[in-house]
């Protein structure tokens, strides 16, 4: 299992070792100890999600209030997606930057997304299926979104006509989210991460 830190602090790409033969395939796609070693604290497993999307569907960009936020460990178990991490932490050196990682059922990569970061994806195939491990249960009052097609984010979604949910279609722009005080604060996110490391 190899970890690669992405250009956004708190985001990692994980590439597992695949063991295959004519019978099939085996891989460790998540290791509690290895992840804790890399990010500096354990991932509290509070909820598991499964998402199935048609090709061209864009979901996100979603984030949660910090504290407690919601860290995610995401892999694609069927098909392929472009998984996108967006730095929405006001005051971060990479605020507003995004990075994409292809997740698919061939390489079996995963991404880790720390508290305070935004997350979205575009399905590259029909029935693209994502599995999420989350550090906190879903909290509707603490979950938010930024419009995925906002030109200020300029995310290069690989879909001619992205299909959005009603919630994502109605999400505020990055500028509106900043003005309303909706976005996480970088210093508060750093403080919360440090509290996890010393707990």
């Amino acid at each position: 299992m190899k970890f690669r830190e992405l250009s956004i602090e708190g985001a990692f790409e994980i590439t597992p070792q695949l063991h295959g033969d004519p019978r099939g395939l085996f891989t460790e796609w998540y290791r509690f100890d290895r992840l804790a070693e890399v990010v500096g604290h354990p991932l509290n497993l509070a909820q598991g999600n499964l998402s199935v999307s048609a090709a061209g569907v864009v979901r996100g960009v979603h984030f949660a209030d910090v504290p407690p936020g919601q860290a995610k460990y995401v892999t694609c178990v069927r098909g392929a997606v472009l998984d996108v991490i967006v730095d929405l932490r006001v005051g971060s050196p990479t605020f507003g930057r995004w990075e994409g990682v292809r997740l698919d059922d061939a390489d079996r990569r995963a991404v880790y997304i720390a508290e305070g970061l935004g997350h979205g994806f575009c399905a590259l195939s029909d029935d693209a299926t994502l599995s999420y491990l989350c550090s906190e249960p879903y909290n509707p009052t603490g979950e938010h979104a930024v419009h995925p097609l906002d030109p200020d984010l300029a995310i290069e979604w690989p879909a001619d006509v992205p299909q959005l949910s009603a919630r994502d279609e109605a999400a505020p722009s990055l500028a509106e989210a900043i003005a309303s005080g909706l976005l996480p604060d970088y210093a508060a996110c750093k403080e919360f991460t440090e509290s996890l490391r010393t707990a």
Side-chain angles (χ1 to χ4, degrees):
M1 183 175 285
K2 296 180 180 176
F3 288 79
R4 180 175 72 90
E5 188 167 15
L6 302 179
S7 63
I8 297 169
E9 179 187 352
F12 294 85
E13 175 193 79
I14 302 98
T15 303
Q17 186 174 1
L18 306 180
H19 305 278
D21 61 29
R23 299 170 302 152
L25 177 78
F26 174 83
T27 189
E28 292 180 346
W29 69 275
Y30 170 74
R31 278 281 301 265
F32 168 88
D33 54 342
R34 294 291 307 282
L35 181 66
E37 180 182 301
V38 170
V39 304
H41 61 84
L43 174 64
N44 177 45
L45 297 184
Q47 183 171 318
N49 299 332
L50 198 69
S51 170
V52 182
S53 301
V57 167
V58 169
R59 298 185 189 268
V61 173
H62 302 151
F63 66 99
D65 291 337
V66 180
Q70 190 185 60
K72 297 175 182 175
Y73 192 98
V74 184
T75 194
C76 183
V77 297
R78 181 177 181 183
V81 305
L82 176 69
D83 200 85
V84 171
I85 300 106
V86 183
D87 194 345
L88 297 177
R89 302 166 299 186
V90 175
S92 167
T94 56
F95 176 74
R97 184 184 299 172
W98 66 275
E99 186 162 355
V101 175
R102 180 186 170 96
L103 304 180
D104 58 39
D105 59 10
D107 294 329
R108 306 283 180 183
R109 290 188 182 95
V111 289
Y112 171 78
I113 304 156
E115 295 86 354
L117 297 177
H119 177 245
F121 67 88
C122 177
L124 303 176
S125 64
D126 280 328
D127 296 326
T129 305
L130 287 189
S131 175
Y132 303 67
L133 303 178
C134 302
S135 65
E136 292 289 332
Y138 174 67
N139 174 12
T141 62
E143 306 267 340
H144 311 285
V146 171
H147 202 291
L149 307 183
D150 181 358
D152 285 342
L153 290 177
I155 299 171
E156 297 171 9
W157 297 111
D160 293 334
V161 182
Q163 300 175 55
L164 307 181
S165 69
R167 173 195 177 202
D168 292 341
E169 191 68 64
S173 67
L174 182 65
E176 290 168 337
I178 294 169
S180 67
L182 190 64
L183 299 178
D185 176 74
Y186 178 65
C189 291
K190 293 277 284 182
E191 183 178 339
F192 181 71
T193 299
E194 190 57 36
S195 74
L196 295 175
R197 289 177 176 154
T198 58

